[in-house]
Amino acid sequence: MSFRRRKSSGSCARATAASRRSTIPTKGIFVSNTADPASDVLGRSILLHELVHHVQHVTGKFDRVSNACERWYSKEREAYEVQNAYLREQGERRRFALDSLPHMCADGEP
C-alpha cells in the first residue's frame, strides 16, 4: 500500500468530491493535497477513513453483500463512524454526516 497526495482545487466541497474514491486497492491511498495528516486532525481523520477502506478490502469484510449500493453504503458507514469517533476523541467539533449517505446511491449503484 502506498500513500500519495492528490492535487485539489481547494474548496472543501471540491476536495470531498475529488476524494470520493481515494482508496484504490491496487494503487494505494490518495489524499487531497489540501489535507495535511501530519499537522491537521481533520487531515488525519481523512487518512484514517481511507485506511478503514484498505482494511475492509484486505479482509473482504463486505464482499458477501451482493447489492452494490448496500455494500458501498456499509463500507462508507463504517469508515465515517470510525472517522467521527476519532474526531470526537481528539476534541474536534466537526463531524461528517452519515444521514446523507443512503441518498448517494441511485438505482442500486453508488
Side-chain angles (χ1 to χ4, degrees):
M1 179 179 56
S2 62
F3 169 75
R4 298 181 192 129
R5 289 190 173 275
R6 176 186 295 180
K7 189 168 184 163
S8 172
S9 56
S11 81
C12 185
R14 283 182 291 224
T16 301
S19 67
R20 182 169 180 206
R21 181 158 170 91
S22 294
T23 301
I24 303 171
T26 59
K27 303 278 185 189
I29 294 175
F30 297 83
V31 176
S32 168
N33 68 349
T34 60
D36 186 8
S39 63
D40 178 51
V41 68
L42 189 59
R44 283 190 297 278
S45 79
I46 292 168
L47 180 57
L48 175 61
H49 177 108
E50 297 308 325
L51 287 169
V52 168
H53 287 313
H54 174 71
V55 171
Q56 291 167 341
H57 173 73
V58 170
T59 63
K61 183 172 183 176
F62 296 104
D63 288 355
R64 291 184 176 207
V65 178
S66 60
N67 180 284
C69 189
E70 184 61 31
R71 184 174 48 253
W72 173 84
Y73 174 72
S74 297
K75 289 178 179 181
E76 288 301 323
R77 183 182 61 227
E78 181 180 55
Y80 280 117
E81 286 172 350
V82 170
Q83 183 176 14
N84 284 337
Y86 173 77
L87 289 169
R88 194 170 29 260
E89 180 182 283
Q90 297 300 307
E92 175 61 51
R93 296 171 53 131
R94 292 175 285 186
R95 301 285 188 280
F96 288 89
L98 296 171
D99 45 342
S100 65
L101 286 177
H103 306 293
M104 297 178 96
C105 283
D107 300 323
E109 293 293 324

